[in-house]
Each structure stands twice: as C-alpha cells, then as structure tokens.
Amino acid sequence: MNQTDSKRPGTLIPVIPLPQYVPSRACFQCDVCCRFPEPDSFLRPYFTREEIQRAVAHGVGPSQFPDPAGCQVALVPNPVGEGYLCPAFDHSASRCRIYEARPLDCQLYPLAVMWSADRSQVVLGWDTKCPFLQTGEGRGVGGEGTEFSPLPRASGPVSELEAYADRIADLIERDETRDIFAGHPRLVGRFQEDVVVVKPLPKLTERLVRREGHPLHFSERRVPGVKSVPPSSPITHHPSPITLHPLELADRPRFEQAMRSFPTPLAAYAFAPHFIWRSLLTYSWTEIAGQVCLFAEYGDGFYMPLPPLPAELGTGREARGTGCDSFLWPSASNLAPILSACFKFMRKRNRGSAVTRVENVSEELKPVFESLGYPVKPKDPDYLYRTADLAGLKGDRYKSQRAACNRVVRTRRVRYGPYEEGLREECLALFRQWTEQKRRATHDPVARQMLADAEAAHREAFAHHRALGLVGRVARVDGVVRAYTFGFERSPSVFCVLLEVADRTLPGLAQFLFRESCRETAALGYEFVNTMDDSGLPSLARSKRDYHPVRLVPSFIATES
C-alpha cells in the first residue's frame, strides 16, 4: 500500500506508508487474485474517477470503464484458460501492470470493507479465499516475522494480521478516507460469508448514513465475532422506517405464500426466478404495513422487481373469478403509504436516478398505480400457451415443430428423464458449449451480454433446484446429456419454463425437449405453460410466436412523475 499525494482528491492518504501485507513471492504464485469466473463478478475492483484516470494513463483502455465517474472495471476473457481477468493483470508474469497506481479497492486486499450480514453497519474483514491466509502461515509485514493466529480473534496475543487490520481500520476511519467512501459508496461491498469479520467501522457507517440517508434501521446489533456497537454510537441516532433483510433460501415460504395468492400468471411472481440471479443482483426485503416489499440492487442502484405483496390475505379488494377465493386485491388507499415509503427509499439511495422503479406490475394492479399518480409503461409480456396444444403439436400450425421432433427421434437415440445432482458439471459444460454456439450466431450486444450474465443463474439452479422447488429434466442423446430444462409451478393451472438449453448442432432437440416437458406438464394437470418474456430479443420473440401463444400476459413498469 503506497503513500499518495495528500492534495489529490479521491486517493488513499496514509500518514505512515503501509507495505503490502502478503509478500510478492506469494502473489506471484497465486492463481486466485485478479481472476474471476464470470465477466460480471461482483468482486471485480472498483475504480474512482481519479483512479480511472491514473489507470488509463498507465495503459488500461478507457473502454474498460463504463462510467468514467467511478465504476467496476470491465473484465476481459482469460487468453490461456477459463474465466476472466482484470485488464490490468499480466497473466504471463502474474503481475499487476498498474501496481503503483492500483485502486484503493485493490490496495486493501486481503482485507475487505463490506456491509454486515444484516446490513446494519460497515465492517472490516479478511478474505479466506486468499491462499496465503488460508494456510495460517502468513508472515509479518514485508514477508518476515511470526505466524499469525487465524481469525476470528484469538484470546492470546494480537496477531500480525490483526495488528495490520487495526492500522487499516484507523486509516479508513479518518475523515479524508471516509470522504472517498461517501463519494463512492459502492466501495463498500455486500456481505460475503467467506470474509471473516475483524471489527466494525462505526465512523464510516455514520458517514454513509449522514451522506446518503442510509435507509436501513440502525440499532444495537451483533455481528458474529464483533462486539456490538455501543448505544452511544452515532449509528443509533439515525433510525428509519425501513429495515432490509438479505434474501435467503429460508425466505422462500414467506414469498411463495404471498405470490401464490396473487392471481396472475406472470412468471415473475415466484421465488426462483429472482433468487437464481443473486450473483448479479443483491436482493433484500422488508415488510411494511402487512405488505412484503422486495428490492434488488445492481451497479446503477435499487429498484423493486415486484410490487408490494400481501404478507397476509384479506387486505384489499376481492378478486372474483380468479381461482384465488381468499385473495383480496390491494386498494389504492392501502398501497399509497407503502409505495410512497418504497419510492422515497429508492430515490434517496439512487440519488434521484432513473433506475428507481417498480417492475412486473400486473394488469390488475396497473389501475391502482395510475390512480396514485405513478406513470406506468408496458414491458415485455409473458408468453402463455395451452399445455394440450404443445403436448400434441397437432395441425398445420405446428407442422415444422412436429417434423423437427420426428427427425431427432428418427436419427438419434434420445432419452428424456429427471435432472440429478451428479449431472451438474455435465450440464454446466453443455451450457458453456451452448453459450458459444449462441454467441457465434448473433452480433447483438444485448444478447451477448445476457449470455454472459446467465451462467451464474444456471449454476444457482443446478445447486439449489430442490430447495427452490424447481423441476429439472434432461435429454440424453446416445447416452450424453445434450439438453436440459428447469421450471416451476406458478399456480395450480400454470407451469413456468425458467431455463432451457439444447445443443444447437442437433436439429430438433430443442423442440423435442419442449414437447416432452409439456407432455409431462399436461399429465400433471397444468392447463397452461408460461415461457416468460422474450427479453426484447427479436429472434427469441419469433421462436415464441411460432408456438402460437393463447395470450401475451401484460406486464408494466411504474415510476415516479
């Protein structure tokens, strides 16, 4: 960690130069740092405006920084293997090409500044992914010294790493450094379970609260391995009506009870299609006046992927003829204060940016939002099909799909069956193959970015399909998995297709997989199949229309005036 010019804004200003904790000899042999499995990894380093300017001056292309005012760096494909690299990393020498000008985010490593698990305060921790720290054989600063005791804090003498962390914490808590974090709040990362908390940073927490009007309710809370912030701390003087909780698998029953009672076939009204994207988005929720409110955070800020949902039934207008006899539609008078609180929260967090919105407003709720003065515009609709039509593929309008299914059955030995845990790596390899096939077939930058984003979501589905209530199926061709699909029950009458991948070199396999899954769905009594929206992609829209949906289910986005 290098001393910087105290007159230069946006830089780290240590009074005493702090050398790198992990010795260079260890870094040169490391295969973890500066490498990332996904192109949009939330762990990629953040650069402030001044750090971007210095990085560009040292040879990093300006195009690697989407926002010159401050952003996470855009990664580049690893030229010698899988995954992605920081564009400042020289893989051949295992060195940083801008080491002397590396950003604060990198200077702090192997320490990390992040929100606590309950998002009540900012804490400092050490990253257990660092191989040098994993061994417990780290030496003193500069590469020589005594061994440190692995954290959390030992009862014996303070370790070398703890002493180093204390020095860094003191540095972060200084006014000039807190100003940097306040100007770039995304320098504070989200909670990571594999980062061991060392100590809280109460002054930085208070600074972010005062600067941004942090929406979380701060109170005396415990962070594992850390003493509670004393009641006299400034943190306790900034209460807010909204307390956010991180979205976890254990929250599925709460959300599915609320979503099941909501009479719309929109696929977004389910837990799984949100949870699988948690590597790309940070989800959190709160409950306000009997309504569950879900929030998602990404690089541009906070938004609501769903309108408020009833935590308990019986809080609005009765929905007749919907098959949900116990559900009552929320009234404008009930929703008004809840939406006002949610928009105020997002507006404050997003500093008034256009990202503030509520997505997936159903057609039934659209008039309620409009009556409260919220502008509502359409988004891509969901495609809804009659299951019996897709199971049978009868008539001239399904002639091409029927011929494709017959072709693959006639020319290949195809077996359709359940997804099993042991197939995860095989399915992941198929996904990567399919992604490359799709990438070669399109020059649409939006489609390409969506492909890059999707791998993490598919990984979540593979890993948690049972806990998420997903139904997974695979198609084997000559004994090898060449296609898979995952779906879920939206309601007793609607089944949703969440993910679907098929080797594009096998004509007819995608049609076969879809037909077989629809046959199974029909046998289970589902009247309709929802294949979700087309993401605004013309080619995907054409393929969905070719199956003749019985309805395009409207969905809307609500914003403030």
Side-chain angles (χ1 to χ4, degrees), residues 522-544:
L524 292 173
Y526 295 100
E527 185 178 359
F528 300 102
V529 169
N530 182 335
T531 63
M532 308 184 75
D533 62 31
D534 56 34
S535 301
L537 301 176
S539 60
L540 184 56
R542 284 193 299 271
S543 65
K544 287 180 180 286

Side-chain angles (χ1 to χ4, degrees), residues 252 255-273 321-325 327 364 382 384-385 387 468-469 471 487-497 520-522 524-530 551 553:
R252 180 189 162 203
F255 276 88
E256 295 209 333
Q257 174 182 323
M259 292 167 172
R260 237 188 338 260
S261 68
F262 209 87
T264 174
L266 287 172
Y269 287 73
F271 186 79
T322 62
C324 299
D325 296 335
F327 181 82
E364 295 87 356
D382 281 10
L384 194 70
Y385 306 85
T387 312
L468 290 172
V471 177
F488 59 90
E489 178 184 291
R490 168 64 195 95
S491 72
S493 62
V494 179
F495 187 86
C496 296
V497 178
E520 183 178 5
T521 300
L524 292 173
Y526 295 100
E527 185 178 359
F528 300 102
V529 169
N530 182 335
R551 185 185 176 203
V553 185

